[in-house]
Amino acid sequence: VRLVESGGGWVQPGGSLRLSCVASHNVFSINHMGWYRQAPGKQRELVASISNFGAIKYAGSVEGRFTISKDMAKNTVDLQMNNLTPEDTAVYYCNVGGGILSGQYYSSDTWGQGTQVTVSS
């Protein structure tokens, strides 16, 4: 499966962006997926995940600001990001096909190429 992220860009603090992850075929109905981000000099971290049956979990740092959703008809999973801060600056990646254990998503080897999000004034 091929994943392609889009929607990144530059935004001022307090702004919003909507990221999309499009899959080459229908995978989100039967697989869990996660949105990750990696800031310069930092490890890649899980931002949000959604299971095949729609269970959602967010990292504490984005809870209440980010919303993950999927559209199985379009083979997409979106990440709506509101009230962005400079700490949200990172390359954002989607991942599909990982496992969920005790509510925690663990990534597979299937990644998109990433989309850059820059939050600055």
Side-chain angles (χ1 to χ4, degrees), residues 60-73:
S61 59
V62 307
E63 184 87 48
R65 301 188 298 121
F66 289 13
T67 303
I68 189 171
S69 60
K70 63 179 176 179
D71 186 334
M72 289 182 283

Side-chain angles (χ1 to χ4, degrees), residues 43-113:
Q43 288 190 331
R44 193 170 296 189
E45 63 172 350
L46 179 64
V47 173
S49 64
I50 185 166
S51 75
N52 58 346
F53 53 87
I56 291 171
K57 187 171 183 178
Y58 299 100
S61 59
V62 307
E63 184 87 48
R65 301 188 298 121
F66 289 13
T67 303
I68 189 171
S69 60
K70 63 179 176 179
D71 186 334
M72 289 182 283
K74 296 181 180 179
N75 297 333
T76 61
V77 177
D78 290 351
L79 187 68
Q80 175 67 42
M81 306 186 297
N82 298 328
N83 194 21
L84 287 161
T85 74
E87 289 68 38
D88 296 314
T89 296
V91 179
Y92 284 71
Y93 300 89
C94 61
N95 179 274
V96 69
I100 290 181
L101 181 62
S102 300
Q104 175 69 36
Y105 180 81
Y106 294 90
S107 64
S108 71
D109 293 331
T110 304
W111 296 91
Q113 84 290 348

Side-chain angles (χ1 to χ4, degrees), residues 6-19 81 84-86 88-90 92 115-121:
S6 63
W10 173 82
V11 65
Q12 292 185 330
S16 299
L17 285 173
R18 189 176 184 90
L19 307 183
M81 306 186 297
L84 287 161
T85 74
D88 296 314
T89 296
Y92 284 71
T115 185
Q116 175 71 47
V117 171
T118 302
V119 185
S120 71
S121 54

Side-chain angles (χ1 to χ4, degrees), residues 1-7 19-28 33 35 71 73-78 94-96 110-113:
V1 62
R2 182 167 173 258
L3 303 174
V4 178
E5 301 96 334
S6 63
L19 307 183
S20 288
C21 174
V22 180
S24 55
H25 53 277
N26 183 14
V27 294
F28 297 130
M33 76 83 61
W35 275 101
D71 186 334
K74 296 181 180 179
N75 297 333
T76 61
V77 177
D78 290 351
C94 61
N95 179 274
V96 69
T110 304
W111 296 91
Q113 84 290 348

